[in-house]
Amino acid sequence: MAETKPLSDYEKYIRTEELLALQKPVEACANGEEPFFQIMHQAAELWMKHMIYEIGRICRHLDQDKAFEAANLFGRVNAILALMARQIELTETMAPADYNVIRITSLGRGSGQESPGFNRLLEL
């Protein structure tokens, strides 16, 4: 029986075992494009979660008349938005037929309009 290598401090801090276990097993995917599709959207939810956090910090800085700090965080939120816009361009590398298979077999009635992160950002 092979010994299990202890987790590095990085792996413990990032919780890579848990994080990487959140994706469907490849053998359960509708097609070879589904891991890409799922990871891209999971990453987007994480970025939106962070933008929501930063918007809260911006509001607190503005309430405390700390405009410089708020402006720096606005810059960060803007950079995240730009990153997400570039990330969406990656979907162009997936054939519409492959997306359709994912939609029919895995996504069901699901839609990006159901994104909790996106909807919270709209509220803010």
Side-chain angles (χ1 to χ4, degrees):
M1 186 164 155
E3 284 188 43
T4 304
K5 179 181 162 191
L7 297 177
S8 69
D9 289 342
Y10 175 87
E11 291 168 306
K12 291 175 192 174
Y13 178 72
I14 300 299
R15 298 170 55 187
T16 55
E17 283 188 321
E18 294 169 70
L19 178 65
L20 299 177
L22 295 174
Q23 289 76 49
K24 270 175 103 170
V26 172
E27 58 276 1
C29 289
N31 60 25
E33 295 295 319
E34 189 172 0
F36 164 75
F37 183 83
Q38 188 179 44
I39 289 169
M40 185 178 72
H41 285 83
Q42 287 174 332
E45 290 295 335
L46 289 171
W47 281 124
M48 287 184 280
K49 177 182 179 179
H50 193 72
M51 285 192 295
I52 291 162
Y53 168 74
E54 294 296 16
I55 290 168
R57 291 179 68 200
I58 290 166
C59 291
R60 288 189 293 281
H61 284 314
L62 291 174
D63 288 343
Q64 298 168 1
D65 292 325
K66 295 180 178 178
F68 181 77
E69 291 86 345
N72 282 335
L73 293 177
F74 268 121
R76 179 179 291 168
V77 169
N78 185 56
I80 294 169
L81 282 170
L83 176 69
M84 289 182 68
R86 291 292 318 266
Q87 178 178 302
I88 284 295
E89 291 175 13
L90 288 170
T91 60
E92 295 173 6
T93 67
M94 187 169 59
D98 288 329
Y99 168 74
N100 194 45
V101 170
I102 295 166
R103 182 144 209 31
I104 291 169
T105 61
S106 299
L107 195 54
R109 296 178 189 262
S111 163
Q113 294 176 340
E114 296 173 335
S115 160
F118 180 73
N119 287 313
R120 180 68 181 126
L121 285 169
L122 287 176
E123 289 172 12
L124 293 174

